[in-house]
Amino acid sequence: MNGVMAELAREHPQVSFVKLEAEAVPEVSEKYEISSVPTFLFFKNSQKIDRLDGAHAPELTKKVQRHASVGSLPPSGNEHPKEDLSLRLKKLTHAAPCMLFMKGTPQEPRCGFSKQMVEILNKHNIQFSSFDILSDEEVRQGLKTYSNWPTYPQLYVSGELIGGLDIIKELEASEELDTICPKAPKLEERLKVLTNKASVMLFMKGSKQEAKCGFSKQILEILNSTGVEYETFDILEDGEVRQGLKTYSNWPTYPQLYVKGELIGGLDIVKELKENGELLPVLKGGNE
């Protein structure tokens, strides 16, 4: 989908394309109910107007074309675009705690300097989001003036420019890099956050709308019959969580049901609790 986005950005220069790591900005993910990646959000005049969940290239292309054709930018003679660009650059540099403006993407860097920068950040387990300056000429040129820094890549922390590759190499050599940039959460910390994301959390194959295995479908039916609110996480979308949660909770199969961060069990346990009339009190314990 990175390639699709890059191509769409070239075809629609009037549209801004921004890429964020969902885990790097949990407050944004929570606000817009991002439960799986990739998820595409469409904004106009700071308002969300559409979304697309999942890697569906034809549907993404259709939505971009449709929204791009509705309305147009102010004429270039207007003074507002310059103000808008400055505001936009401020928002972009603050889009994640650590933002890398580079050529290409972390998966496919398109210059040697950007590739080296990504390798250093990954080596130090630094959590960052990125913006492909090749996809947006206005940002590419504007950021040079905005930050008074003529080359790429550029690394920002909390909206402040740290520098380019040479600066990052110096910070790495002096062992200061780890103190400046935010670390990616360790898997155990991430699993703790996920299991506590809602009072009642179900880790399953698929989603509430579409279970992707018989066991997950059965447990959804049982939970839905209780009327208790719950959230789900699709383990098929995240291999790290899928494998890590088995060890974290010492439970080898899915689905897995958690209440207030504590494992209740899988489908058989939930069936037993329902038959004994204990399921509702257990679930409501998580919603008090």
Side-chain angles (χ1 to χ4, degrees), residues 60-98:
L60 177 64
T61 302
K62 267 192 233 166
K63 283 181 180 284
V64 170
Q65 287 172 342
R66 185 169 76 246
H67 294 304
S69 64
V70 179
S72 58
L73 288 172
S76 55
N78 197 316
E79 287 180 11
H80 289 296
K82 267 194 178 174
E83 295 171 10
D84 290 346
L85 176 59
S86 182
L87 184 63
R88 194 175 153 223
L89 293 174
K90 185 177 180 181
K91 285 180 179 176
L92 281 174
T93 54
H94 285 83
C98 186

Side-chain angles (χ1 to χ4, degrees), residues 60-286:
L60 177 64
T61 302
K62 267 192 233 166
K63 283 181 180 284
V64 170
Q65 287 172 342
R66 185 169 76 246
H67 294 304
S69 64
V70 179
S72 58
L73 288 172
S76 55
N78 197 316
E79 287 180 11
H80 289 296
K82 267 194 178 174
E83 295 171 10
D84 290 346
L85 176 59
S86 182
L87 184 63
R88 194 175 153 223
L89 293 174
K90 185 177 180 181
K91 285 180 179 176
L92 281 174
T93 54
H94 285 83
C98 186
M99 275 297 293
L100 176 63
F101 292 81
M102 61 179 290
K103 293 180 180 177
T105 65
Q107 295 76 26
E108 294 180 34
R110 293 169 77 178
C111 85
F113 300 126
S114 291
K115 185 180 180 184
Q116 287 182 63
M117 179 77 92
V118 169
E119 286 170 353
I120 291 171
L121 295 178
N122 285 338
K123 184 171 80 176
H124 287 263
N125 194 34
I126 288 165
Q127 186 166 329
F128 66 97
S129 292
S130 67
F131 184 95
D132 181 2
I133 54 144
L134 297 178
S135 69
D136 193 315
E137 189 62 23
E138 186 182 46
V139 169
R140 181 180 184 174
Q141 298 305 326
L143 199 58
K144 293 178 184 179
T145 308
Y146 178 84
S147 295
N148 193 25
W149 195 270
T151 58
Y152 290 98
Q154 294 182 15
L155 186 71
Y156 292 75
V157 172
S158 301
E160 295 292 324
L161 174 68
I162 302 301
L165 180 60
D166 289 342
I167 300 287
I168 300 308
K169 282 182 173 178
E170 284 176 21
L171 289 171
E172 182 186 32
S174 64
E175 299 184 353
E176 294 175 75
L177 186 62
D178 291 324
T179 63
I180 291 172
C181 298
K183 291 281 194 178
K186 290 187 172 68
L187 178 58
E188 189 171 333
E189 291 169 14
R190 195 175 157 225
L191 294 175
K192 186 176 181 182
V193 170
L194 281 174
T195 53
N196 284 277
K197 187 180 173 191
S199 295
V200 180
M201 269 301 287
L202 176 66
F203 291 80
M204 61 177 287
K205 293 179 180 178
S207 64
K208 276 187 188 181
Q209 293 74 29
E210 186 186 359
K212 290 184 177 173
C213 84
F215 301 126
S216 292
K217 187 178 179 187
Q218 286 182 64
I219 205 165
L220 281 181
E221 288 168 355
I222 293 171
L223 290 176
N224 288 338
S225 71
T226 67
V228 171
E229 288 188 13
Y230 65 95
E231 296 288 329
T232 63
F233 184 94
D234 184 359
I235 53 140
L236 298 178
E237 295 283 342
D238 194 317
E240 186 181 49
V241 170
R242 182 178 184 175
Q243 297 306 322
L245 200 58
K246 293 178 185 178
T247 308
Y248 178 81
S249 297
N250 194 25
W251 194 270
T253 57
Y254 289 99
Q256 293 183 16
L257 183 68
Y258 291 76
V259 173
K260 287 188 174 175
E262 295 293 324
L263 175 68
I264 303 303
L267 177 61
D268 290 341
I269 301 285
V270 170
K271 279 182 174 176
E272 279 178 33
L273 289 170
K274 186 186 178 189
E275 287 164 10
N276 298 338
E278 297 172 34
L279 181 59
L280 199 54
V282 167
L283 295 177
K284 289 209 166 166

